[in-house]
Amino acid sequence: MEPARSAVGLSVREAVHILQSSEDDGRVLSALESLQHYLRGTGEPALPGEQEEFAAKHFAAVLRCLVGRLSPRWLQLSPCDRLEQLWDSFFLEGPADQAFLVLMEAIEGTAGPSFRLMKMAQLLARFLSEGRVAALMEEQCRPQMKPGFPLLQETLLSKVVSLPDHLGNHLQKDNLAQFFPQNYFPLLGEEAVRALQSVVDSLRGGLHCSVSFVSRVLGKVCIQGRHKEILGRLVPQLTALTQGSCLWQRVCWHLVEQVPDGAMEAVLTGLVEATPGPEVLSRLLGNLVVKNKKAQFVMTRKLLFMQYRCTTPMLQSLLGYLAMDSQRRPLLIQALKELLETWGSSSAVRHTPLAQQRYVSMAVLICLAHLGEPELRDSREELLASMMAGVKCRLDSSLPAVRRLGMIVAEVISTRIHPEGPPLRFQYEDDELSREMLALATPWPAGDSPLEARGSSLDPVVAETPAETMKGSVPPAQLQGSDSELDSDDDFIPYDMSGDKELKSSKAPQYVRDCMEALTTFEDKDMERWEAALKALEGLVRRNPEATREVSVELARVLLHLEERTCVAGFEELRQRALVAVTVTDPAQVAEHLTSQFYALNYSLRQRMDILDVLTLAAQELSRPGRLGRSPQHSSLGPGTQCSPALTASQFGSVMVPDWRVVVENRIRSKTRHFSKGSPWQEPAGGPNEFASVAGCFFFPLIHHFDRPLVTFDLLGDDQLVLGRLTHTLGALMYLAVNTTVAVRMGKALLEFVWALRFHVDTYVRRGLLSAVSSVFLSVPAERLLEDLPDELLETRSWLADVAEKDVDENCRELAVRALLLLERLRDRLLSLSS
């Protein structure tokens, strides 16, 4: 063999010398053809030993010689394109790994736009389109005994994965579409499938192969954030190939097992996202979570607890994968215990975002849907303890969404863990989210795939039997027989009862004192009188302000303690509107009474929050411009309300006989042509701000005693919901006090209040504090802010920046950013005025 090898070396050396020195097209073509027969797949190939020696020792030198001779003049030595075809064939038919490395080396070594750079780029594009990357991966999957093979693999790995970056940096505006990441990585996924197909064929032929190089390519691409592009092509093909082939499944298992630990998280996350369901994920991964500790950590800890970016289908695929094999089901039970422990942690409720709490709740429900009653019975006590702790801390939350999550999950857990006992039932809003979560908790029947079970749970109409469907669609009259059709009343014309009025034995009170007496002296025989008084009270209060001021405080006390004694439609709204009307009529005295009662004993939390709502609505109405010239927007006419004579006359006149002026104006308007018609301009309503004189009566009594706990009321303790409502109310009052003389004092007091509670653990309270800060910036003049509150502004700005960066709640971060923008806008305005 040694003489043959030396003959190959002599022949290559002579051909390279001709290529480097000769300008004769005949000699150049002859030298290229003499070298070409050492390539595999040519018409007259050399001996296998000569081909191996050429590929191992001389091929790279020949390619570098060809790259060095590349120029337009050299390619034009041959009249036809024979020289260029031979030149291309060495890169497209020789060993793919060496050709790829020389191409990348030539592109990176060429400075600036040139013919050589574009020619090499176009040749690399052909290299990719003709499947040479698959050949490169196939070569790396075969057993190799070369001494420098690990270094070669590392270089190839780096160049293959970072090809779009390298080509983009060197070609810049002249970059080709094949090298764009959105085009290259899907192509790389297809080439990986071809390489795996070659591995499967070799295994069927009894040859040993390794998929470690493909695994490393997959891992490095996923680490770079391109998992959607490569797995979008790889997963659908592997899904079809593993459908009925155990060999393909084992190749896929080894493919994922040999992914480096540093890339395992990126690959598994991409696979969970790309797979259409747990069955496919189980075929692609096998029992990877049982064998590989890193994969187990990612699938049972990282994706469930440390992240919450998985969508609902991803969660179903992940947890369904754990449930599909007996060796993996203990991991599912352990995951459920840890999820419920996190779900029941009061610290997690306070310090985790709402989106993550919803994510954990959905994971708990999906786990319960996969586990059977015997498996849940073994851990009943532990699961019940976690559930009770979670329900308590969630029902104590100030956020309605958190409370509703606790209700839904508690209902499902109690039903599944303790089926023989009485089920828990809560009242919550039936919306899309609650229906989705309840559908996730539906147990999957045995023998059905998770996707089929999920579809049946989301569409209960499909589960009906044909008999039930026909029974529900046929009217009862038709089920009884044809004789019942003769007795049908469908042909009769219904009697018009739209103008009928309900007959009542008692009339509505005509005076405010009569209403107050009717509301305080309730008897069973006076139910209609009590209802009529409640409905007529608001209108009487607004039409008789002088009479209302005489009994305003007493009437406010009666309404505040009023309880629903009959089933009146809209009782809470009627009571609130009447209270608002009384407060607007006599704001100073009623506000003083309500604010004093807010911190008094023997009031429920509901009554205290009603006080805050009434004060906010009354302040909003008092601050509205032109309030006295029009009726309030939230008032409604009660049964005892009488229309004014002028209004009645105009209404009847417009119905019976239209005014002749209106008729003439309508005719003129219909026969007049307008070339341009501007929008009608109305002068905005104006008037004094009635809230300016009483803003302090609304604001300061509420903010003075917030830190004084009572026996049944502790704002800084368990009554966080009321504290959150108080912060929002103070912010609203501050905003409505714009352009008032007391606004500066109110702003200073409110900033001190915010500073005392800035680190509160409740999310709802923090939202109220941030809204209050924005109200201060909007209501207090910028000059007075800088003159009177410079220290408070500096402290508030640093706190807002910290909240915008570190707060766990998204709404809090958004409110902090808005407040910072307002502060910057105020600073810019002052700078422009000073300049």
Side-chain angles (χ1 to χ4, degrees):
M1 293 295 297
E2 193 67 24
R5 290 182 181 177
S6 60
V8 171
L10 292 174
S11 176
V12 169
R13 189 177 300 111
E14 182 180 357
V16 168
H17 178 71
I18 293 173
L19 293 175
Q20 290 177 344
S21 58
S22 176
E23 297 292 336
D24 184 12
D25 60 336
R27 296 188 62 190
V28 170
L29 290 175
S30 176
L32 288 176
E33 290 172 353
S34 66
L35 294 175
Q36 190 183 26
H37 84 285
Y38 291 112
L39 299 178
R40 297 175 182 176
T42 55
E44 298 179 359
L47 297 175
E50 294 178 348
Q51 292 180 0
E52 292 178 3
E53 180 185 356
F54 178 76
K57 296 183 178 181
H58 309 292
F59 184 66
V62 171
L63 293 182
R64 291 188 178 92
C65 174
L66 293 176
V67 170
R69 292 292 293 168
L70 180 62
S71 65
R73 179 175 172 274
W74 188 77
L75 291 178
Q76 292 174 0
L77 292 178
S78 176
C80 55
D81 295 336
R82 176 60 180 166
L83 181 58
E84 186 173 0
Q85 293 175 2
L86 285 174
W87 190 88
D88 293 346
S89 66
F90 281 89
F91 292 91
L92 301 177
E93 297 174 4
D97 51 354
Q98 298 186 52
F100 178 76
L101 289 178
V102 171
L103 281 173
M104 294 297 296
E105 176 186 333
I107 291 174
E108 294 173 3
T110 304
S114 62
F115 170 81
R116 176 179 297 179
L117 180 62
M118 293 308 302
K119 175 62 178 177
M120 302 301 297
Q122 293 169 2
L123 183 59
L124 182 58
R126 284 188 60 189
F127 186 91
L128 297 179
S129 62
E130 294 185 8
R132 299 300 293 164
V133 176
L136 184 152
M137 293 184 182
E138 293 172 14
E139 185 66 25
Q140 305 307 309
C141 291
R142 299 191 184 98
Q144 301 285 344
M145 302 302 295
K146 301 175 183 178
F149 184 68
L151 181 60
L152 174 64
Q153 268 204 347
E154 196 65 35
T155 306
L156 283 172
L157 177 66
S158 175
K159 299 296 183 181
V160 167
V161 175
S162 60
L163 183 143
D165 297 332
H166 287 290
L167 270 296
N169 290 335
H170 285 83
L171 297 179
Q172 296 183 359
K173 295 181 180 180
D174 299 327
N175 197 8
L176 303 180
Q178 293 92 327
F179 305 139
F180 293 167
Q182 61 269 26
N183 298 329
Y184 173 73
F185 289 110
L187 174 66
L188 191 60
E190 294 180 355
E191 300 294 278
V193 174
R194 294 178 184 175
L196 294 177
Q197 180 66 60
S198 175
V199 170
V200 170
D201 295 339
S202 299
L203 292 176
R204 285 174 179 163
L207 300 177
H208 176 69
C209 287
S210 172
V211 294
S212 61
F213 182 77
V214 184
S215 301
R216 295 171 65 188
V217 169
L218 178 63
K220 198 158 187 177
V221 171
C222 291
I223 282 181
Q224 292 185 0
R226 296 293 177 178
H227 59 277
K228 290 184 179 180
E229 288 86 349
I230 188 169
L231 293 178
R233 295 291 181 88
L234 190 63
V235 169
Q237 298 189 45
L238 293 182
T239 301
L241 292 170
T242 56
Q243 181 70 39
S245 175
C246 296
L247 182 57
W248 263 105
Q249 291 184 21
R250 294 191 62 185
V251 168
C252 290
W253 299 349
H254 284 284
L255 175 68
V256 185
E257 286 175 6
Q258 297 185 23
V259 171
D261 287 346
M264 185 64 74
E265 178 186 349
V267 173
L268 290 179
T269 304
L271 285 174
V272 171
E273 182 179 355
T275 50
E279 294 175 336
V280 177
L281 191 63
S282 181
R283 293 205 306 265
L284 297 183
L285 299 184
N287 286 331
L288 178 68
V289 292
V290 180
K291 304 175 183 177
N292 191 301
K293 292 297 181 181
K294 178 67 175 181
Q296 181 178 336
F297 172 77
V298 171
M299 299 287 277
T300 61
R301 297 289 305 174
K302 195 72 176 286
L303 294 180
L304 293 179
F305 298 96
M306 302 179 187
Q307 300 175 358
Y308 53 97
R309 63 179 180 177
C310 292
T311 60
T312 302
M314 290 174 64
L315 264 181
Q316 289 181 315
S317 295
L318 170 60
L319 298 173
Y321 161 74
L322 297 179
M324 291 195 68
D325 190 86
S326 58
Q327 297 183 20
R328 303 193 293 262
R329 289 187 76 85
L331 296 176
L332 180 65
I333 299 174
Q334 183 63 29
L336 175 60
K337 293 179 181 179
E338 295 176 354
L339 283 168
L340 265 181
E341 182 180 356
T342 303
W343 188 82
S345 171
S346 59
S347 177
V349 174
R350 290 194 303 267
H351 298 102
T352 55
L354 180 59
Q356 187 170 6
Q357 296 185 42
R358 188 184 299 118
Y359 180 82
V360 172
S361 301
M362 288 184 173
V364 169
L365 297 180
I366 296 173
C367 288
L368 291 172
H370 282 290
L371 294 174
E373 185 177 346
E375 295 170 313
L376 295 174
R377 191 183 302 115
D378 297 337
S379 307
R380 174 182 296 180
E381 300 299 329
E382 183 179 354
L383 297 179
L384 279 177
S386 299
M387 182 203 74
M388 296 303 295
V391 169
K392 180 183 181 302
C393 62
R394 272 175 165 72
L395 293 183
D396 290 341
S397 175
S398 303
L399 300 177
V402 176
R403 295 198 296 270
R404 186 171 54 172
L405 285 178
M407 296 175 191
I408 296 173
V409 177
E411 283 187 357
V412 175
I413 294 176
S414 63
T415 305
R416 295 299 314 281
I417 297 179
H418 202 270
E420 63 273 7
L424 284 176
R425 287 293 179 265
F426 296 95
Q427 293 182 355
Y428 50 84
E429 183 181 358
D430 184 18
D431 60 354
E432 184 179 356
L433 176 63
S434 60
R435 289 192 295 269
E436 179 186 0
M437 296 188 68
L438 292 175
L440 292 177
T442 305
W444 287 337
D448 289 349
S449 67
L451 293 179
E452 293 173 353
R454 181 178 62 185
S456 62
S457 63
L458 291 176
D459 192 7
V461 181
V462 182
E464 295 179 355
T465 61
E468 292 174 346
T469 306
M470 293 188 63
K471 183 177 179 181
S473 60
V474 178
Q478 296 183 13
L479 293 176
Q480 294 176 3
S482 60
D483 295 338
S484 61
E485 298 179 0
L486 301 177
D487 299 331
S488 176
D489 296 335
D490 295 342
D491 296 334
F492 291 104
I493 300 175
Y495 185 75
D496 185 12
M497 303 177 64
S498 59
D500 292 359
K501 297 182 180 180
E502 183 181 358
L503 296 177
K504 294 187 178 181
S505 59
S506 61
K507 296 182 179 180
Q510 300 295 322
Y511 300 99
V512 176
R513 289 182 181 272
D514 294 342
C515 284
M516 190 168 62
E517 181 182 356
L519 294 176
T520 53
T521 59
F522 175 80
E523 296 180 2
D524 293 339
K525 61 181 179 180
D526 293 336
M527 292 175 54
E528 292 185 0
R529 185 167 179 264
W530 186 87
E531 293 181 11
L534 180 61
K535 294 179 180 179
L537 182 57
E538 182 195 3
L540 292 174
V541 167
R542 294 188 182 277
R543 290 196 305 273
N544 303 281
E546 296 298 332
T548 302
R549 293 190 185 97
E550 296 177 1
V551 293
S552 58
V553 176
E554 185 177 355
L555 182 56
R557 185 183 300 111
V558 170
L559 290 172
L560 189 59
H561 291 275
L562 190 64
E563 296 179 358
E564 185 177 6
R565 301 181 180 182
T566 62
C567 297
V568 183
F571 167 77
E572 293 295 338
E573 183 181 0
L574 291 171
R575 172 172 163 268
Q576 184 186 76
R577 287 162 60 175
L579 260 174
V580 171
V582 174
T583 308
V584 169
T585 304
D586 192 6
Q589 294 188 35
V590 177
E592 182 181 356
H593 171 72
L594 292 178
T595 53
S596 64
Q597 297 305 302
F598 180 76
Y599 290 105
L601 293 172
N602 301 325
Y603 278 91
S604 65
L605 299 183
R606 180 68 265 173
Q607 289 173 312
R608 300 182 199 275
M609 289 190 290
D610 288 342
I611 291 174
L612 297 176
D613 293 340
V614 168
L615 291 174
T616 303
L617 292 173
Q620 184 178 1
E621 185 174 340
L622 287 170
S623 63
R624 188 181 300 126
R627 184 185 69 86
L628 297 178
R630 60 185 178 184
S631 59
Q633 296 178 359
H634 62 270
S635 64
S636 62
L637 298 177
T641 307
Q642 298 179 356
C643 298
S644 62
L647 179 60
T648 305
S650 64
Q651 288 177 347
F652 281 105
S654 63
V655 173
M656 298 175 60
V657 182
D659 191 358
W660 65 271
R661 294 184 182 87
V662 176
V663 176
V664 172
E665 290 179 359
N666 289 337
R667 289 179 180 177
I668 294 174
R669 190 180 300 111
S670 63
K671 296 180 181 296
T672 304
R673 295 178 61 186
H674 297 275
F675 294 99
S676 63
K677 187 176 181 180
S679 59
W681 180 83
Q682 294 182 357
E683 184 178 356
N689 185 355
E690 299 180 53
F691 183 62
S693 59
V694 294
C697 302
F698 281 67
F699 183 85
F700 291 110
L702 284 179
I703 206 172
H704 277 168
H705 307 298
F706 74 93
D707 55 346
R708 298 181 186 177
L710 302 176
V711 178
T712 58
F713 185 50
D714 186 8
L715 284 176
L716 301 183
D718 296 333
D719 300 324
Q720 300 175 355
L721 176 60
V722 185
L723 179 61
R725 296 290 288 272
L726 175 62
T727 57
H728 285 83
T729 300
L730 293 173
L733 296 176
M734 183 73 246
Y735 178 73
L736 296 172
V738 62
N739 298 327
T740 60
T741 56
V742 76
V744 179
R745 287 179 53 210
M746 291 174 60
K748 185 173 183 179
L750 188 54
L751 288 180
E752 293 176 356
F753 172 80
V754 170
W755 191 252
L757 299 174
R758 66 189 185 280
F759 296 126
H760 203 280
V761 296
D762 190 79
T763 303
Y764 185 60
V765 175
R766 295 200 305 275
R767 292 179 185 177
L769 297 175
L770 293 166
S771 300
V773 171
S774 298
S775 300
V776 173
F777 294 160
L778 289 171
S779 301
V780 181
E783 298 83 359
R784 300 298 303 275
L785 276 176
L786 291 181
E787 291 176 4
D788 300 346
L789 310 172
D791 297 335
E792 289 84 350
L793 283 182
L794 291 176
E795 295 172 345
T796 303
R797 188 180 185 282
S798 61
W799 170 64
L800 289 174
D802 188 67
V803 172
E805 181 180 0
K806 301 178 181 178
D807 200 286
V808 297
D809 185 66
E810 182 179 359
N811 289 335
C812 287
R813 295 195 299 269
E814 182 179 353
L815 289 171
V817 171
R818 291 182 179 179
L820 286 172
L821 291 176
L822 287 174
L823 190 58
E824 293 296 325
R825 190 179 303 171
L826 292 176
R827 188 196 65 176
D828 295 341
R829 186 189 308 169
L830 288 177
L831 291 177
S832 62
L833 291 176
S834 62
S835 60

